[in-house]
Amino acid sequence: MTMKKKTKTMKTKTMKKKKKVPFRGRCPFRQYMPGKPARYGIKIWVAWNAHSSYAWKMQVYTGKPDKRGPPKKHLATRVVVDLTEGLAPGHNVTCDNFVTSHELTDRLFRERGHTVLGTL
């Protein structure tokens, strides 16, 4: 018995964005960003279609798994790869400078057939 992997067919432009939802209550993964208008909030990574504004996948950032360990390397690359899982090949993924890297563009093109547009 073989199982087919579900893929989502959308228009070719997919955006990845980091969104902070303002939140002042108690939450172990609440973020503090002093330079933002809403200084406290929950960080959510979102992959969405730029033409229809359809949110394809979301991932809540809950912090480091090990609070005492060293910072995790390539967090942004891992998040983008996770968010583009299941998209049909041939999409253009647009990112900001926080996640854009040569490693990400190379990996998405080779493994998934996506192109990446972003600032360095």
Side-chain angles (χ1 to χ4, degrees):
M1 185 164 125
T2 60
M3 293 178 63
K4 287 188 177 180
K5 198 179 215 183
K6 283 187 178 182
T7 59
K8 179 68 177 174
T9 305
M10 297 192 307
K11 293 199 182 209
T12 59
K13 191 165 186 177
T14 304
M15 308 285 280
K16 198 268 348 140
K17 187 173 183 175
K18 177 177 56 173
K19 174 84 175 143
K20 191 178 87 156
V21 179
F23 180 74
R24 291 285 296 184
R26 291 185 185 197
C27 181
F29 50 87
R30 181 182 67 176
Q31 298 283 308
Y32 175 70
M33 295 181 193
K36 301 287 182 179
R39 293 184 301 224
Y40 293 94
I42 297 172
K43 193 184 296 183
I44 301 173
W45 303 86
V46 182
W48 55 281
N49 186 318
H51 296 289
S52 65
S53 298
Y54 175 77
W56 161 246
K57 277 189 181 176
M58 293 185 198
Q59 194 177 82
V60 176
Y61 178 68
T62 57
K64 292 191 307 184
D66 181 18
K67 299 284 184 198
R68 297 173 202 210
K72 193 169 190 174
K73 286 188 177 182
H74 309 293
L75 169 71
T77 300
R78 183 194 55 79
V79 168
V80 174
V81 169
D82 288 350
L83 289 176
T84 56
E85 180 76 35
L87 278 177
H91 286 270
N92 178 10
V93 180
T94 305
C95 307
D96 60 0
N97 62 345
F98 179 72
V99 298
T100 305
S101 68
H102 179 69
E103 176 193 353
L104 174 68
T105 57
D106 194 39
R107 186 170 175 187
L108 282 181
F109 187 71
R110 271 201 256 143
E111 292 179 10
R112 308 238 169 103
H114 302 310
T115 56
V116 176
L117 173 66
T119 57
L120 290 174

